[in-house]
Amino acid sequence: MKIEKINKWFGDKHVLKDIDLEFPAGQTTVLVGPSGSGKSTILRSLNLLEQPNSGTYDFDELHLDFERNVSRKQKLALRQKTGMVFQDYNLFPHLTVLQNITEGPRQVLKLPKETAEQTAMELLAKVGLKDFANAYPAQLSGGQAQRVAIARALAMKPAYVLLDEPTSALDPELELEVLRVLLKLAQENQSLIIVTHNMVFARRVADKIVFVEDGTIKYDGDPAGFFAPNNPDERIRHFIAAMTMEELEE
Amino acid sequence: MWHTIQGSLPELLAAGFKYTIPLALVSFFFGLIIALLVALIRLSRQKGAFKILKGIAVFYVWLFRSTPLLVQLFIVFFGLPHLVIPGAFPDGIQLKPFTAGVITFSLNTGAYASETIRAAIASVPQGQWEAAESIGMTRVQVLWRIILPQALRVALPPLANSFISLVKDTSLAASITIAEMFSVAQQITAENYEPLLMYIIVALIYALFTTVLSQLQAWMEKTLAKTTPDQ
């Protein structure tokens, strides 16, 4: 999966500037950076929830050029290959947990009910929620809701799972539940792309770190180099120090 | 008094079940279809030729909300026969009373209900569209399976209001020669000279119909709340 020369404007605000990125399969890529840097926009572009104004996007045999028209077919095909997990879960409130997970497989992949439900139950077991199949989203804690959202994304058997600040709305204990699930997925070599502010987790799970600021990529490489105390980029050293609160006492 | 009530009740109820209720039900059914289409057109972000359609939708809602229902009935039933279109309607547009009633009531209800449905759809968070589209559902699938079921909960009370209003408004159809309940009450009054009693009886029958509808609404709200608890 690869994007090249991606540009995106919101009105006259240039939020992504000539972004080139590769996302290795079977690995975990973590996007970090200050708020408003464009990292979420990159992630949303990969699922085409945002459509860049220019640039190309290559995914297996699919080739998209954003200066030409992206066909509906290409759009739907890409979305099936990329599962999305949102900051505020966005579970469907009128469906049970099980129905939330089977909705995509049944409506989009046209799988029979039994097959879809069997897979959904396996995924619920994986995220530790198999007793909650018949609950409604309103009855879940934030951590449980986000784990259901992860199961919902996995049910489409996507090549990549994209996570947009998946734990930002959670308190630390609930965050841990979700991060455990993500770590397990990473260890099973599920391709993940995560936008997060949690540096401890980023360091632990990332195979590759991308630092985004002002719509440009300031670092693209292994976590060891990024977190190294002698990282030559002073801005990055300050960012990490701030995020890990090393400079709390001035 | 008992005699008058006994004598008129079967006739009034017959008119109610034969005209009032079918007129309200059929008109509400078509009204809802119109309302959904108009709401979707107005919410759509399509450009180009679609903008003309949007303009027509806005004009339609404005027209039917800003003129009296009784006047609309008169235009459709008494006015359209004078609208001569060479080729298509050389003798004017002649409609049967019931048809004219259904057309007018449907268009009138559709205008009001389209605002209800538009607001209800807009009240469903954008994140629901995104979540559903992110798993590869088409816009139509998202609308039918994810957005409308949630919008229905919001729209149900005001839609029930519209339906109850419609049931009562069908009494205006008396003026375009439909033999619905109120016009039958008028006819009986002309024979027995008991306007107070007759109009109270017919009022009570309307109240009975609408009370049943209110109960139905309460039941539906409860059922929907059970399957979709508040977030």
Side-chain angles (χ1 to χ4, degrees):
Chain A
M1 185 201 242
K2 186 171 78 177
I3 51 176
E4 277 176 328
K5 296 251 175 278
I6 290 287
N7 279 281
K8 173 74 182 171
W9 280 269
F10 287 128
D12 42 5
K13 206 172 165 230
H14 199 178
V15 287
L16 296 182
K17 302 165 186 165
D18 280 333
I19 300 282
D20 295 322
L21 270 180
E22 262 183 71
F23 302 93
Q27 297 196 6
T28 299
T29 306
V30 176
L31 300 175
V32 297
S35 296
S37 59
K39 55 193 190 309
S40 282
T41 311
I42 296 177
L43 196 73
R44 289 163 61 85
S45 299
L46 297 176
N47 189 265
L48 298 183
L49 284 175
E50 303 290 353
Q51 199 157 315
N53 300 93
S54 66
T56 59
Y57 182 4
D58 283 282
F59 193 148
D60 296 345
E61 74 289 350
L62 284 164
H63 174 79
L64 275 64
D65 182 345
F66 291 114
E67 271 172 295
R68 301 208 195 111
N69 242 343
V70 177
S71 73
R72 276 181 85 73
K73 221 176 130 193
Q74 285 179 313
K75 212 172 193 174
L76 293 179
L78 255 173
R79 283 181 169 159
Q80 285 174 38
K81 287 168 179 272
T82 52
M84 186 92 188
V85 176
F86 301 87
Q87 181 178 348
D88 40 9
Y89 337 126
N90 291 341
L91 294 180
F92 307 131
H94 61 300
L95 301 178
T96 64
V97 163
L98 190 70
Q99 290 167 336
N100 261 277
I101 302 173
T102 56
E103 183 70 9
R106 291 189 62 195
Q107 299 303 321
V108 180
L109 304 177
K110 310 285 180 202
L111 295 181
K113 190 168 180 238
E114 294 70 34
T115 319
E117 285 186 349
Q118 202 189 332
T119 312
M121 288 311 295
E122 287 165 16
L123 288 170
L124 277 176
K126 191 171 191 169
V127 299
L129 290 171
K130 64 179 190 320
D131 295 336
F132 288 82
N134 295 314
Y136 280 94
Q139 298 162 317
L140 304 177
S141 73
Q144 291 167 337
Q146 195 58 298
R147 287 184 280 155
V148 172
I150 292 170
R152 177 175 69 178
L154 288 171
M156 295 299 290
K157 302 210 166 30
Y160 288 75
V161 179
L162 318 176
L163 301 108
D164 190 3
E165 300 194 26
T167 61
S168 295
L170 302 173
D171 65 49
E173 280 180 309
L174 299 182
E175 178 172 24
L176 199 62
E177 295 176 356
V178 174
L179 295 182
R180 281 199 187 111
V181 170
L182 293 181
L183 190 62
K184 192 159 73 178
L185 288 176
Q187 285 163 349
E188 290 168 5
N189 294 327
Q190 165 71 51
S191 316
L192 301 175
I193 304 173
I194 310 176
V195 168
T196 184
H197 286 298
N198 187 327
M199 290 299 130
V200 180
F201 180 64
R203 190 171 194 167
R204 173 75 185 80
V205 78
D207 296 305
K208 171 176 161 126
I209 292 257
V210 175
F211 181 73
V212 189
E213 189 171 49
D214 291 331
T216 54
I217 308 272
K218 296 278 170 64
Y219 182 94
D220 178 1
D222 66 356
F226 183 76
F227 287 105
N230 59 356
N231 188 326
D233 189 322
E234 198 194 340
R235 171 69 188 111
I236 292 179
R237 286 205 313 273
H238 274 298
F239 177 78
I240 297 169
M243 296 303 276
T244 48
M245 295 203 195
E246 278 162 21
E247 292 173 345
L248 188 59
E249 297 191 36
E250 286 184 283
Chain B
M1 191 175 89
W2 270 118
H3 183 73
T4 313
I5 296 174
Q6 273 181 332
S8 60
L9 210 52
E11 241 184 293
L12 287 172
L13 284 173
F17 284 110
K18 201 171 165 203
Y19 289 107
T20 301
I21 290 175
L23 195 55
L25 273 179
V26 175
S27 302
F28 195 67
F29 174 75
F30 287 120
L32 277 185
I33 294 174
I34 295 169
L36 183 60
L37 288 176
V38 169
L40 291 178
I41 289 170
R42 292 190 65 177
L43 284 169
S44 158
R45 274 181 245 139
Q46 303 270 348
K47 290 178 190 99
F50 212 83
K51 281 220 158 144
I52 301 169
L53 209 56
K54 228 173 183 168
I56 295 172
V58 173
F59 176 73
Y60 153 73
V61 173
W62 168 80
L63 186 68
F64 277 86
R65 291 207 310 170
S66 54
T67 54
L69 178 53
L70 186 61
V71 176
Q72 294 164 13
L73 279 168
F74 271 52
I75 290 175
V76 172
F77 184 66
F78 296 114
L80 288 187
H82 295 270
L83 179 68
V84 176
I85 302 171
F89 298 99
D91 305 319
I93 301 173
Q94 313 267 357
L95 296 168
K96 290 194 178 106
F98 192 83
T99 314
V102 166
I103 289 174
T104 314
F105 288 126
S106 302
L107 288 170
N108 187 276
T109 305
Y112 283 95
S114 76
E115 292 289 280
T116 302
I117 292 177
R118 187 165 70 104
I121 291 176
S123 77
V124 179
Q126 188 59 27
Q128 292 290 309
W129 284 95
E130 290 188 351
E133 286 184 354
S134 78
I135 53 176
M137 291 173 87
T138 62
R139 301 278 297 179
V140 178
Q141 283 178 324
V142 179
L143 187 70
W144 274 107
R145 302 195 49 89
I146 306 299
I147 305 301
L148 285 182
Q150 296 182 57
L152 180 66
R153 255 197 93 189
V154 180
L156 187 67
L159 285 180
N161 250 347
S162 295
F163 188 48
I164 286 170
S165 294
L166 178 60
V167 169
K168 294 179 292 177
D169 287 346
T170 55
S171 59
L172 294 170
S175 59
I176 59 164
T177 76
I178 296 179
E180 50 69 61
M181 210 157 59
F182 181 63
S183 86
V184 170
Q186 283 178 305
Q187 285 162 23
I188 298 173
T189 307
E191 289 158 19
N192 68 10
Y193 305 110
E194 297 243 37
L196 180 64
L197 186 59
M198 285 314 299
Y199 294 139
I200 287 177
I201 293 173
V202 80
L204 288 176
I205 301 177
Y206 278 113
L208 179 74
F209 284 175
T210 52
T211 306
V212 171
L213 289 174
S214 298
Q215 294 299 315
L216 196 66
Q217 175 195 349
W219 175 79
M220 281 172 80
E221 279 179 28
K222 237 193 201 154
T223 313
L224 279 177
K226 230 182 268 168
T227 53
T228 61
D230 282 307
Q231 272 203 301

